[in-house]
Amino acid sequence: MALRSDREDTSAQERALRAAPDEAAEVLAELAAEARSLAKAYASRSARVPDGAALAGLVDAARRAEEAVDLAAHDLATARGEDA
């Protein structure tokens, strides 16, 4: 389908918006798995203290993934000429 000459091709923004929630879901699944692992380790009071740095890194990654979803939606709306 040909685009009108006054319309921007938004396919890249649409692809980014479709991919962003899936990427965010993957990060959140990793975050949940790490949180469960830490919870089990703390509950068992194992001699080895779990490294919370991995959890902190995943929390940061989840924040970035959430921002990526918002940015992708904003970029698409802007490319379509909508007020975002």
Side-chain angles (χ1 to χ4, degrees), residues 17-67:
L17 184 56
R18 282 193 301 271
D22 292 338
E23 292 167 7
E26 289 175 20
V27 170
L28 290 173
E30 290 176 32
L31 178 58
E34 184 66 24
R36 282 191 299 274
S37 175
L38 283 172
K40 286 179 185 177
Y42 284 127
S44 70
R45 291 180 170 67
S46 62
R48 183 183 149 282
V49 175
D51 180 13
L55 183 62
L58 286 169
V59 168
D60 287 340
R63 285 187 185 124
R64 287 191 305 275
E66 180 184 13
E67 290 171 359

